[in-house]
Amino acid sequence: MPVPTLRACALLAAGLAAPALALALDLRQAYEAAVAHDASIRAARAQADAQRERLPQALSQRLPQVALNATRNHNDLTTRSTDPLGQPRRWNNDYYSGSQALSLRQPLYRPGVSAQIAQARAQVEDSNALLERDEQSLVVRVGEAYFDALLARDQVALLQVQKASHLSQLDAARKSFAAGAGARTDIDEVQSRLDMTLAQELEVAQHVEFTQRRLEVLTGQGAAVLAGLDVQRFAPAPPQPARLEDWIARAEAASPELQALRAQREAAQLEVRKAEAGHLPTLDAVAQWSRSQSDSVTSIHSRHAHRSVGLQLNVPLYAGGVVSSQVRQALASEERAREALEAARRELGVRVHQEFRAMTEGVLRVRALEQAVRSAQQALHSNQKSLQAGTRTTLDVLQAEQQHMAALRDLAQARYRYLMGQLNLRSLVGEDRAGNVAGVNGWLVR
């Protein structure tokens, strides 16, 4: 009986995909499609665009403020009085009144505006860093969806090979039993394993459909055929640089998440300055031109024009303690932002350590499992030969075959986990997204 190998499983999967091989989707294409299609990343871009408008809004506080006001009224005046003889008199007077006023205000000294502009710049940096964090997160989300889909299809291929082997064993056991050389137990044991394999096949088929749907929702493209891992060329290597401390230092310097929190801390510090400016005076230059016509009952049909230029000083004296309260509030917010940054820095070090170990230990695990697959394959071959010689039972062969399939499955998981570790690690340190995807995509074959 032939021993199912990982190459045989790969060939089986490739054979199933052969009719649509030209349409195979690789990781780079999936990522590019997700960049254009994913709703959450489009929402993040829109949020960043909205936050960037804070800066021109703040800068506008330094520019002149010009306003024009105009009114036009129709007046119906009824007057009642008595003449010198005591007789009542009444007369009506209809007239139009109106006014126009043009005013200009140029801020000269407003310390709160300077703090507000600097704070707006920090908030724009925060929004840009948060967008970069979400963009980096998209790399990881696409990678997880893609490799989950590949692993599910690998499991289907393994189960199909295992099912074919069980069917072959079941046929041989029945023929041997009919010839009087076998035992009913052999048939029952193989039938039990076959039934379990069929049940697993149904479960895995559902998982394949789920992972395919997940990837299609993310990319907006069909994902029926995916580029698989080229196991012949796949050669995992430890991350470079090889020191964990170097990766942590790079992450602390370039992590989009930390950049966003640093910008938030700076914005909180500037909020303190802006609140303290509530105690300081402001100075504006003002100019006004106004014209009025029939502006009162005593000046009907008269016109007035007024022009003024000057300075306006505003000195806050007492506002009920609200400014002091705002300063205390801003100081507390600054403390919160500072501690949030420190907590995120520590957490980032733990995550970098986790992904760094996933790559370094992943190299050793892949090599160990490759050896385990070879050993399990040899053990299966030996048990099959021993069964033919009568020194092993069908149950021994079934157990050896189960170990072989488990080793193949674990090896596939280890390979994909290594690739995800690479995506995660480089994403945490803020490396170029397209380069990160291309580095992993190079191991795939369409």
Side-chain angles (χ1 to χ4, degrees), residues 274-315:
K274 191 168 70 173
E276 291 173 342
H279 292 297
L280 302 177
T282 61
L283 180 65
D284 297 339
V286 294
Q288 186 173 16
W289 170 86
S290 63
R291 182 178 64 183
S292 62
Q293 176 184 0
S294 303
D295 57 351
S296 69
V297 68
T298 60
S299 59
I300 298 176
H301 305 306
S302 63
R303 297 173 181 270
H304 303 277
H306 179 260
R307 301 175 181 85
S308 66
V309 177
L311 299 175
Q312 187 176 70
L313 177 67
N314 181 25
V315 180

Side-chain angles (χ1 to χ4, degrees), residues 187-204:
I187 297 176
D188 294 339
E189 288 174 348
V190 176
Q191 184 66 54
S192 174
R193 296 298 179 96
L194 177 60
D195 292 341
M196 181 60 67
T197 300
L198 293 174
Q200 292 174 347
E201 189 178 29
L202 291 174
E203 180 181 358
V204 173

Side-chain angles (χ1 to χ4, degrees), residues 321-363:
V322 64
V323 175
S324 299
S325 175
Q326 289 172 344
V327 171
R328 293 192 299 270
Q329 182 183 32
L331 287 171
S333 297
E334 179 191 3
E335 177 68 17
R336 181 199 60 80
R338 185 167 51 250
E339 294 301 331
L341 173 60
E342 178 60 22
R345 187 190 67 80
R346 297 176 183 178
E347 176 63 21
L348 178 63
V350 174
R351 290 158 59 193
V352 170
H353 179 269
Q354 179 182 5
E355 301 304 332
F356 180 85
R357 300 302 300 177
M359 287 191 67
T360 54
E361 295 177 0
V363 174

Side-chain angles (χ1 to χ4, degrees), residues 196-215:
M196 181 60 67
T197 300
L198 293 174
Q200 292 174 347
E201 189 178 29
L202 291 174
E203 180 181 358
V204 173
Q206 292 177 353
H207 189 58
V208 168
E209 182 180 354
F210 167 75
T211 56
Q212 177 177 329
R213 178 60 179 166
R214 177 187 174 191
L215 190 57

Side-chain angles (χ1 to χ4, degrees), residues 361-429:
E361 295 177 0
V363 174
L364 302 177
R365 179 169 175 78
V366 168
R367 292 173 182 170
L369 285 170
E370 287 174 344
Q371 179 58 44
V373 167
R374 289 191 291 268
S375 299
Q377 183 176 342
Q378 181 59 43
L380 175 58
H381 181 72
S382 299
N383 274 276
Q384 290 172 340
K385 292 294 185 181
S386 299
L387 176 63
Q388 295 174 359
T391 59
R392 285 290 188 270
T393 65
T394 301
L395 180 59
D396 294 329
V397 174
L398 292 173
Q399 290 176 343
E401 185 179 76
Q402 189 69 29
Q403 290 176 353
H404 183 224
M405 291 298 165
L408 288 170
R409 183 193 64 240
D410 292 344
L411 176 58
Q413 289 177 335
R415 286 168 172 163
Y416 296 141
R417 179 65 186 92
Y418 171 86
L419 294 174
M420 279 308 305
Q422 179 174 329
L423 286 176
N424 281 320
L425 182 60
R426 297 187 182 279
S427 177
L428 288 174
V429 300

